[in-house]
Amino acid sequence: MSMGSTGDGLGRRDLIKRSAALGLIAVPTMGFLSACASGGEETTKGPGKAPVTKENPFGVNKGGKLDVVVFKGGFGDDYAKSWESAFDKKWGTTSSHLGTQEIAAKLQPRFNGGNPPDVVDDSGAQQIKIDVLAKGGQLAELTPVLDAPSLDDPAKKVRDMLIPGTVEQGTQGGKFVALYYVYTVYGFWYSGKLFKEKGWTEPKTWDQFLDICTKAKDAGIGGLAHQGKYPYYINVVIMDLIAKKGGLEAMKAIDNLEPNAFEGNPAALAAVEAVYEVVEKGLLMAGTNGLTHTESQTAWNQYKAAFIPSGSWLENEQLKQTPEDFDMKFLPIPLLADSKLPFEAIRAGAGEPFIVPEKAANKAAGLEFLRSMLSREWSTVFAQQANSLTVVKDGVDPDVKLRPGTASAVAAVKAAGENTFNYLYPDWYSEMDTEIQNASNELMAKRIQPKEWIKRAQAAVDKAAKDPNAKNNRRS
């Protein structure tokens, strides 16, 4: 095999130079570091990388080890096991797999000790915040994955296969460091069966929504259930109402930490007042403020409430609790009067961030694993096993049958067309997000009024604006 010797040698040297410039590898101690990280076992031969080719853009070594940790939440982790076995078959690697909800507890010591996994799905309530990892220099830059040839069409780059907004969402301080993989739509959910039985039609305005909640209350059912212990979910409703009433400018003002993002923004006050009306009129499901996400969702599955807010992972998360004929349906957040965006507009974007740690022992395999995730084959596996869409454009083989909730979400994405929006502040400013959630918790418990909520949310924005990293995060 003499033909590749000079070309591969040059390509490899070239890659080392470029990778060193990107801070992707530590030259010249990589082989030594790999040996240290694996307790002296010989997991890598020679300098630790195979020759770089078009088929092997990151120089994955055949027969190395691959360490994968995924958040085992609404999507389960069967999909990842399928991916790992496909990867091992192709590359001769030996994968180790951990599916857990305790991401921070299990991984913080490993990040601190300099021996993190090769691929992490860093998600869930115990997520290690992406902005914190990025600021600490713990994340590998993933731009090389975007610029690598797509497995579906090597004439195209991986970046050409992604839904718009994917790269923007995973960018921290100007660097692409997180692959948000699951294409999620956010809004209300209801049971098609319940609505049919009661003769209710899908509400398109907030007044129609309140009307159904009132009818539900009269029938001894809660109007709105929400995941009280995690105010993240009720914030979906508040923030969607702000974006739909005030338009994209209102959303961008929040992401860009404007001094009038909340205070002096009539759309924001109208949104909070609308949600507070549900509380004041006693239209919440009884006890919902004290429930976890699964507790409130299970009560909703038992027809104890008409609506619940969530992302499109809901169906998979509730598979065991959902009656066979429940007929789960997605509903865009209904409109307040004089809204700038149409009813069909939805918050849609990528969730579930996958990262490759900067100090991963087998970084090349980690990057290749992400490239494989962005193939139609692996995207289809995810749709089948995790019951959700990915950020790969047309990423599901047409003959795959989807469950009612996912099918309903796909229909909503089609109906929305260009009218999709997505907030970036939860990823850019995790502390601000938490402070706004805390204000919502107080609001839903009637401990504060809408105007006080606005005041607290603006204070969280003003505080985030003082972060020197904020100047690198800007939406146009």
Side-chain angles (χ1 to χ4, degrees), residues 6-27 30 47-54 56-61 141 143-145 147-149 363-365 367-368:
T6 53
D8 282 354
L10 277 171
R12 193 179 142 54
R13 268 204 306 279
D14 209 35
L15 188 98
I16 285 175
K17 269 196 296 209
R18 270 185 302 154
S19 300
L22 286 168
L24 285 175
I25 58 170
V27 184
M30 182 159 176
K49 286 187 84 168
V52 168
T53 62
K54 198 167 183 185
N56 188 2
F58 310 115
V60 178
N61 252 335
E141 178 148 13
T143 309
V145 175
D147 291 331
K363 194 190 285 182
L367 297 174
E368 183 60 39

Side-chain angles (χ1 to χ4, degrees), residues 224 226 234 275 279 284 289 439-446:
L224 176 66
H226 78 109
I234 200 66
V275 171
V279 182
L284 288 179
N289 284 347
S440 298
N441 191 29
E442 298 290 286
L443 182 86
M444 299 311 283
K446 271 180 150 171

Side-chain angles (χ1 to χ4, degrees), residues 83 181 373 375-386 388 390 394-400:
W83 287 351
Y181 185 67
M373 282 169 56
S375 66
R376 194 173 201 185
E377 186 187 342
W378 282 29
S379 178
T380 299
V381 166
F382 191 83
Q384 285 172 306
Q385 297 191 12
S388 292
T390 76
D394 304 318
V396 184
D397 287 336
D399 51 355
V400 172

Side-chain angles (χ1 to χ4, degrees), residues 194-211:
L194 179 69
F195 270 53
K196 208 171 189 174
E197 278 176 8
K198 301 287 182 193
W200 299 336
T201 52
E202 202 175 76
K204 294 194 170 179
T205 68
W206 195 255
D207 286 345
Q208 289 167 356
F209 166 74
L210 291 174
D211 184 47

Side-chain angles (χ1 to χ4, degrees), residues 3 5 19 36 90 122 166 174 184 205 208 214 217 252 289 310 337 374 391-392 417 440 446 448 463:
M3 64 170 208
S5 59
S19 300
C36 293
K90 179 173 179 181
D122 181 22
T166 307
T184 307
T205 68
Q208 289 167 356
T214 307
K217 186 185 179 183
K252 287 175 187 172
N289 284 347
S310 187
L374 297 169
V391 293
V392 180
S440 298
K446 271 180 150 171
I448 64 171
K463 188 174 166 189

Side-chain angles (χ1 to χ4, degrees), residues 109-125:
R110 294 191 61 185
F111 272 104
N112 294 347
N115 63 330
D118 302 311
V119 177
V120 182
D121 166 20
D122 181 22
S123 189

Side-chain angles (χ1 to χ4, degrees), residues 222-418:
L224 176 66
H226 78 109
Q227 301 82 335
K229 285 197 171 170
Y230 299 108
Y232 165 92
Y233 292 88
I234 200 66
N235 270 6
V236 167
V237 186
I238 294 171
M239 292 296 169
D240 279 21
L241 283 169
I242 293 173
K244 290 178 88 161
K245 182 166 174 69
L248 299 181
E249 293 315 306
M251 175 193 72
K252 287 175 187 172
I254 294 169
D255 283 345
N256 287 337
L257 309 178
E258 301 288 347
N260 61 350
F262 290 106
E263 280 184 330
N265 176 358
L269 184 60
V272 184
E273 284 175 340
V275 171
Y276 193 63
E277 196 175 346
V278 178
V279 182
E280 273 195 316
K281 289 186 169 167
L283 302 177
L284 288 179
M285 181 181 82
T288 193
N289 284 347
L291 299 182
T292 66
H293 57 310
T294 46
E295 288 164 350
S296 57
Q297 288 159 195
T298 299
W300 170 74
N301 278 142
Q302 294 162 350
Y303 306 106
K304 289 178 184 167
F307 300 99
I308 196 161
S310 187
S312 46
W313 59 78
L314 177 68
E315 184 170 41
N316 208 59
E317 194 162 61
Q318 293 299 116
L319 278 183
K320 291 191 178 79
Q321 288 74 31
T322 306
E324 200 55 50
D325 58 352
F326 188 81
D327 190 22
M328 198 179 288
K329 299 267 193 221
F330 173 79
L331 176 76
I333 299 294
L335 293 182
L336 294 170
D338 305 317
S339 286
K340 289 190 178 169
L341 298 183
F343 163 71
E344 291 78 15
I346 49 173
R347 186 194 309 203
E352 213 74 8
F354 282 77
I355 55 174
V356 174
E358 177 61 33
K359 291 184 177 165
N362 196 351
K363 194 190 285 182
L367 297 174
E368 183 60 39
F369 194 86
L370 263 55
R371 181 170 83 119
S372 309
M373 282 169 56
L374 297 169
S375 66
R376 194 173 201 185
E377 186 187 342
W378 282 29
S379 178
T380 299
V381 166
F382 191 83
Q384 285 172 306
Q385 297 191 12
N387 201 36
S388 292
L389 304 175
T390 76
V391 293
V392 180
K393 277 183 207 159
D394 304 318
V396 184
D397 287 336
D399 51 355
V400 172
K401 193 171 182 336
L402 301 170
R403 289 178 183 273
T406 303
S408 165
V410 172
V413 170
K414 282 189 176 145
E418 298 296 303

